Structures are given as structure tokens and as C-alpha cells.
Amino acid sequence: MSDFSNQISHLGSGIAEDTSIMPPPERKVIFYNDDFTTMEFVVDVLVSIFNKTHSEAEKLMQSVHKEGYSVIGVYTYDIAVSRQHLTIAAARKNGFPLRVEIE
């Protein structure tokens, strides 16, 4: 019986005890200005896909329009890619060439 208790007391030895969990890396979602995508469409996408308020969406749309691009948000990679694909699909469905990049 003493051998069994000795084995149990050493079960954790030799195994890395690092239990820290690193948050996943985040990526920027960037919209680029073009001469064809309407401002209304950009605002609608920002509200419906990126969960922005109408006021936030208006400000971001104006930034894209004036600066040529704007960071729309910072998300984990999976969420950024998912929202990028949803946005591009909606843009193409509506005939817009909106460019959305992840950085």
C-alpha cells in the first residue's frame, strides 16, 4: 500500500505546471473608400454586421470617406474573418466593390 500512495504523490512531477492562458491575437478590420459603394450601405453594414450604433457607424463612414480608409474594429482573427466575409458577400450581392482587409 505504501508503493501506491508513493505513486499518487508523484503524479504531477515532471509535467509543466504553466496554466496561464494567452488571449488570442487580435486583428484590425479595415474598410477602404471607393467611388461606388454608397455611404448608406456602409452605415447599414456597420450597424448590422459590426454591431455599431448608428452614430458610431456614421462617424466611421465619414472617416473612411475622408481619409480613404478606417479601422472599423479590432477582433480576434476568427471574428474578423467572419465579419469580413459577411461584409464582402453583402457588398457583392448589392453590386458594390467595397474593399475590406484584415491586418
Side-chain angles (χ1 to χ4, degrees), residues 6-17:
N6 194 22
Q7 288 175 356
I8 291 176
S9 67
H10 295 310
L11 280 178
S13 64
I15 298 174
E17 296 282 332

Side-chain angles (χ1 to χ4, degrees), residues 7 9 21 30 32-33 37 39 42 48 53 72 86 99:
Q7 288 175 356
S9 67
I21 298 175
I30 303 170
Y32 290 88
N33 190 40
T37 306
M39 293 179 181
V42 172
S48 64
T53 65
I72 300 307
L86 288 169
R99 181 174 153 210

Side-chain angles (χ1 to χ4, degrees), residues 2 5 18 39 60 65-66:
S2 65
S5 1
D18 184 11
M39 293 179 181
L60 285 167
H65 182 68
K66 291 177 183 174

Side-chain angles (χ1 to χ4, degrees), residues 7-57:
Q7 288 175 356
I8 291 176
S9 67
H10 295 310
L11 280 178
S13 64
I15 298 174
E17 296 282 332
D18 184 11
T19 58
S20 63
I21 298 175
M22 298 298 293
E26 294 187 328
R27 305 282 191 231
K28 297 175 186 174
V29 177
I30 303 170
F31 278 22
Y32 290 88
N33 190 40
D34 63 66
D35 292 333
F36 303 101
T37 306
T38 64
M39 293 179 181
E40 294 80 15
F41 178 79
V42 172
V43 170
D44 288 344
V45 164
L46 291 171
V47 170
S48 64
I49 296 175
F50 290 87
N51 301 316
K52 303 293 184 186
T53 65
H54 192 76
S55 175
E56 289 173 316

Side-chain angles (χ1 to χ4, degrees), residues 58-78:
E58 288 276 340
K59 288 176 186 173
L60 285 167
M61 177 272 301
Q62 287 296 332
S63 178
V64 171
H65 182 68
K66 291 177 183 174
E67 303 298 324
Y69 69 94
S70 184
V71 174
I72 300 307
V74 179
Y75 307 93
T76 60
Y77 178 78
D78 291 342

